Amino acid sequence: MADVAQAAGVSSATVSYVISGKRPVAEHTRRVVEKAIADLGFSVNTVARSLRTGRSSIVALVVPDLSNPFFAQLAASLQEELRVLGLHVMVCDTKADREEERAFLREAVQQRFAGVVITPFRLVAKDFLVLSEAGIPAVVSADLPFGDNDLVTPDARAAIRAALTEVTEAGRRHIAMVAGPRDATGGDPRLNLLRSLAAQFGTALPGRLVVRGEHTREAGAVGFERLMRIRPRPDAVFCANDVVAIGAMDKAEELGIDIPGDVALIGHDDASFASLVRPRLTTVRYPAADVGKAAARLLIERLDGRSVRRTVHVKAEFISRGTVRTGP
Amino acid sequence: MADVAQAAGVSSATVSYVISGKRPVAEHTRRVVEKAIADLGFSVNTVARSLRTGRSSIVALVVPDLSNPFFAQLAASLQEELRVLGLHVMVCDTKADREEERAFLREAVQQRFAGVVITPFRLVAKDFLVLSEAGIPAVVSADLPFGDNDLVTPDARAAIRAALTEVTEAGRRHIAMVAGPRDATGGDPRLNLLRSLAAQFGTALPGRLVVRGEHTREAGAVGFERLMRIRPRPDAVFCANDVVAIGAMDKAEELGIDIPGDVALIGHDDASFASLVRPRLTTVRYPAADVGKAAARLLIERLDGRSVRRTVHVKAEFISRGTVRTGP
DNA sequence: TTGAAAGCGCTAACAG
DNA sequence: CTGTTAGCGCTTTCAA
């Protein structure tokens, strides 16, 4: 920058101002400086800028599983939304490990990130203290509020109700669930929601019909198998997400169990492959792109100085395909 | 850091040295400093460190499509490999747009990134000048060498040969390809490789049997449809990657074309969903996790001072499933 | 409309 | 084994 200033015969302050536009610069001066910048191929050192301003232009996105297309799409969407403001996204895959989650939060403060967008998986509220102490805004994407952070959360009641309606109309009575791990953040709110809604349909969802595991294909297979040993055998299985549901389908095929003939299966998220498997997976769609957009908006507002907590609800939608009743 | 120094009654240099371990510190002093660090909840400001050392701890991973599970997995793998060295990965999705690709390279120099790992899609060699001028090491993941960068590249000859063998044995004679766009970096080397290998099988792959488009599901459908209008109709179709192959399968179903009965279909990469579709997609597997590992190794060596160009070949593997002949 | 200069927090000579 | 100190490249206040 000093080089540019010298070449243009101005002070480095002026160069800084033509770049940032934070103070008017005479037309002529500006042109001279811009020419010098081009001639020298100068580009600002953003780390010096960050040191000076105390804030970088990087936002961390912390997710439990980047190989889940839902999160990949969330990442793509968030990146696209923030890009126009000159903000960058650093994607952090924690593999659902609490220590990794905490490590990334620490990292965010060390790097003086502009903000973090996180889908907590095993974190607890006090793990967020490092962030708030450092004054780094966080927006949480989760089913339940989390500390006093901004929140993007699904509005899934209607969708789950629609799912239960279809399941019930298909004559299913023994509903079960392959839920997330017991120590997951919030204790798997999807289970609680399903349970309370099922009650309205006159169906209980007792603990013995809930099986728990990671959000992986393998865990889905294992969980489904355990469910299939219960008598009377469940005839409808809700899954924590689509990855888990795919695992359940693997196992059903292996066991010679017909879906949806013998057992109805309902996923969650509508990850890209949900419509690829056969039969196509009936699922509760939670639009990753919209979640990314909402998170970006919340974060930007926060960066602009808003100080009150906000929540954005993103509507989930029941997508009826072929795993509850024979369909498309 | 000055605070910690004061609290511990030492100089800030000493604090720096206990953190970095770059110079021995007396056992007692170290303990006192560590206590002060813990008490004050201090954590180093890595942006100041980066400014001072001239290099950040962030590596950019630039890919054309993060929603392609192949790249998502590459990202996860790279992140995992670099993490132990305290390096971080910033994922950049360019959506196959050259301007975006260039923008991210510029960004990498502004942010003084430690390095970049990139799968170029429309970039040309001279776009890399910004990086080399800034002295930022790049490792390229591509089918062909690219400038004088380190390279991770598939060794796919044997796999493609195996594919051609199976296709030929299945009695197919009219091979076609849905290739990438004409302006793609390297002009789609996968096409050239297939073409030269097909010749060894006595099969030509004339231009009229090659259709081009983006690496998307939609383009795969469109390309496949165009291919199906050619007479004599192709009876085996190779696709630029699995996403494209899925699009082809969509269209085949729509058109009532049986796969593999009427047309054999071969994908590329073995993205996670290749084994999910029915029939399961026969494909040329290119292991994303290994690519990530190789790229990490190359980058680390480069950071350690190696100055000669290196290439790592990652073996591709033919995975026979159900889209060439009836199979699993 | 522009310039001078302080200082962000750290690292790494250099000196003791 | 430890301390002093210059300076990385930028932004921004204060002064002109």
Side-chain angles (χ1 to χ4, degrees):
Chain A
M1 198 158 200
D3 296 351
V4 175
Q6 183 153 27
V10 300
S11 74
S12 67
T14 299
V15 177
S16 173
Y17 285 119
V18 334
I19 289 171
S20 70
K22 289 190 179 174
R23 148 171 131 175
V25 174
E27 182 60 21
H28 172 73
T29 315
R30 221 197 55 229
R31 260 202 289 273
V32 171
V33 170
E34 277 165 354
K35 178 160 179 347
I37 287 176
D39 288 351
L40 297 178
F42 169 82
S43 81
V44 282
N45 182 330
T46 55
V47 356
R49 171 184 292 170
S50 296
L51 177 59
R52 176 60 226 238
T53 61
R55 192 111 296 177
S56 93
S57 61
I58 299 178
V59 170
L61 171 66
V62 183
V63 297
D65 178 16
L66 193 54
S67 71
N68 180 338
F70 176 84
F71 292 114
Q73 217 181 316
L74 175 58
S77 159
L78 187 71
Q79 189 204 262
E80 184 166 5
E81 294 296 317
L82 294 180
R83 198 160 167 39
V84 293
L85 305 198
L87 290 173
H88 299 268
V89 175
M90 176 146 136
V91 181
C92 311
D93 184 344
T94 64
K95 302 190 175 2
D97 180 287
R98 173 155 175 235
E99 281 317 309
E100 293 280 304
E101 289 180 300
R102 294 169 45 135
F104 280 121
L105 293 190
R106 274 197 306 271
E107 197 66 29
V109 350
Q110 292 186 182
Q111 307 251 13
R112 302 300 187 268
F113 281 168
V116 0
V117 175
I118 181 169
T119 298
F121 195 82
R122 286 193 156 90
L123 282 182
V124 302
K126 80 173 164 47
D127 292 327
F128 268 79
L129 288 179
V130 279
L131 283 190
S132 40
E133 278 168 7
I136 296 179
V139 4
V140 168
S141 163
D143 291 17
L144 285 182
F146 200 77
D148 54 352
N149 297 294
D150 286 338
L151 178 71
V152 181
T153 194
D155 173 3
R157 300 188 84 84
I160 304 270
R161 248 191 227 111
L164 282 164
T165 302
E166 186 169 299
V167 164
T168 309
E169 284 175 4
R172 307 307 166 116
R173 287 294 169 270
H174 303 290
I175 294 177
M177 181 166 186
V178 183
R182 187 175 303 277
D183 63 344
T185 295
D188 201 341
R190 284 179 186 177
L191 167 60
N192 298 328
L193 180 59
L194 177 65
R195 190 170 258 154
S196 77
L197 257 25
Q200 300 178 10
F201 280 72
T203 320
L205 187 60
R208 45 184 287 276
L209 289 180
V210 174
V211 122
R212 289 171 170 281
E214 296 301 310
H215 282 186
T216 64
R217 197 165 162 181
E218 296 67 36
V222 170
F224 188 78
E225 182 168 33
R226 281 172 50 206
L227 248 22
M228 289 303 104
R229 281 208 261 268
I230 298 173
R231 294 292 174 274
R233 198 167 78 178
D235 53 13
V237 174
F238 283 77
C239 295
N241 72 14
D242 289 347
V243 174
V244 170
I246 296 291
M249 289 179 78
D250 292 341
K251 184 55 78 176
E253 184 171 19
E254 185 187 323
L255 261 32
I257 292 174
D258 183 57
I259 290 179
D262 300 324
V263 180
L265 195 69
I266 300 92
H268 207 293
D269 287 349
D270 196 22
S272 61
F273 50 62
S275 57
L276 252 32
V277 289
R278 294 304 142 88
R280 293 184 165 88
L281 183 63
T282 291
T283 192
V284 174
R285 175 168 161 72
Y286 187 45
D290 294 350
V291 174
K293 270 189 199 133
R297 214 175 58 228
L298 247 27
L299 193 62
I300 290 165
E301 289 176 14
R302 188 64 90 162
L303 261 21
D304 283 351
R306 172 178 51 83
S307 58
V308 296
R309 186 177 179 294
R310 286 236 294 141
T311 296
V312 172
H313 291 268
V314 174
K315 196 146 196 85
E317 182 189 1
F318 178 60
I319 306 285
S320 174
R321 288 197 273 244
T323 55
V324 170
R325 55 184 174 203
T326 308
Chain B
M1 198 159 197
D3 296 350
V4 175
Q6 183 152 30
V10 299
S11 75
S12 68
T14 298
V15 177
S16 173
Y17 285 118
V18 333
I19 290 172
S20 70
K22 288 190 179 173
R23 144 172 134 174
V25 173
E27 182 58 24
H28 172 72
T29 315
R30 224 198 51 231
R31 259 203 289 276
V32 171
V33 170
E34 278 165 354
K35 175 154 181 351
I37 287 176
D39 288 351
L40 297 178
F42 169 81
S43 82
V44 283
N45 181 332
T46 55
V47 358
R49 171 185 292 171
S50 296
L51 177 59
R52 175 61 225 239
T53 62
R55 191 110 299 176
S56 93
S57 60
I58 299 179
V59 170
L61 171 67
V62 184
V63 297
D65 178 15
L66 193 55
S67 71
N68 179 338
F70 176 84
F71 292 114
Q73 218 181 315
L74 175 57
S77 158
L78 188 72
Q79 189 204 261
E80 184 166 5
E81 295 294 318
L82 293 179
R83 197 159 168 42
V84 292
L85 305 200
L87 290 173
H88 299 266
V89 175
M90 177 145 134
V91 181
C92 310
D93 185 344
T94 65
K95 304 192 174 1
D97 181 287
R98 173 154 174 238
E99 281 318 308
E100 294 280 304
E101 289 181 300
R102 294 168 46 133
F104 280 122
L105 294 189
R106 275 197 306 273
E107 198 65 30
V109 351
Q110 292 186 183
Q111 306 252 14
R112 301 299 187 270
F113 282 170
V116 0
V117 175
I118 181 169
T119 298
F121 196 82
R122 286 192 156 91
L123 281 183
V124 300
K126 79 171 166 46
D127 293 327
F128 268 79
L129 289 179
V130 280
L131 282 191
S132 39
E133 279 168 7
I136 296 179
V139 4
V140 168
S141 163
D143 290 17
L144 286 182
F146 200 77
D148 54 352
N149 298 294
D150 287 336
L151 179 70
V152 180
T153 193
D155 174 3
R157 301 187 85 85
I160 304 270
R161 247 190 229 111
L164 282 164
T165 301
E166 186 169 301
V167 164
T168 308
E169 284 176 2
R172 308 306 167 115
R173 287 292 170 271
H174 302 291
I175 293 177
M177 180 166 186
V178 183
R182 189 176 302 280
D183 63 345
T185 295
D188 201 340
R190 285 179 185 178
L191 167 60
N192 298 327
L193 179 59
L194 177 64
R195 190 171 258 153
S196 77
L197 258 25
Q200 299 178 9
F201 280 73
T203 320
L205 188 60
R208 45 184 287 279
L209 289 181
V210 174
V211 122
R212 288 171 171 282
E214 296 300 311
H215 281 186
T216 62
R217 197 165 164 179
E218 295 68 36
V222 170
F224 187 80
E225 180 167 35
R226 284 172 50 207
L227 248 21
M228 290 303 102
R229 282 207 263 265
I230 298 172
R231 293 295 175 272
R233 198 168 78 177
D235 52 14
V237 174
F238 283 78
C239 295
N241 71 16
D242 290 346
V243 175
V244 170
I246 297 291
M249 289 179 77
D250 293 341
K251 184 55 79 172
E253 183 171 19
E254 184 186 323
L255 260 32
I257 292 174
D258 183 58
I259 289 178
D262 300 324
V263 179
L265 195 69
I266 300 92
H268 207 295
D269 288 349
D270 195 23
S272 61
F273 49 63
S275 56
L276 253 31
V277 289
R278 293 304 141 87
R280 291 184 165 88
L281 182 63
T282 291
T283 192
V284 173
R285 176 169 161 71
Y286 187 45
D290 294 351
V291 174
K293 267 186 203 136
R297 215 175 56 228
L298 248 27
L299 193 63
I300 289 164
E301 289 178 13
R302 189 64 91 162
L303 262 21
D304 284 350
R306 172 177 52 82
S307 58
V308 296
R309 187 179 177 293
R310 287 234 297 141
T311 295
V312 172
H313 291 269
V314 174
K315 197 146 196 83
E317 181 189 3
F318 178 60
I319 305 284
S320 174
R321 289 197 273 245
T323 56
V324 170
R325 55 184 174 203
T326 308

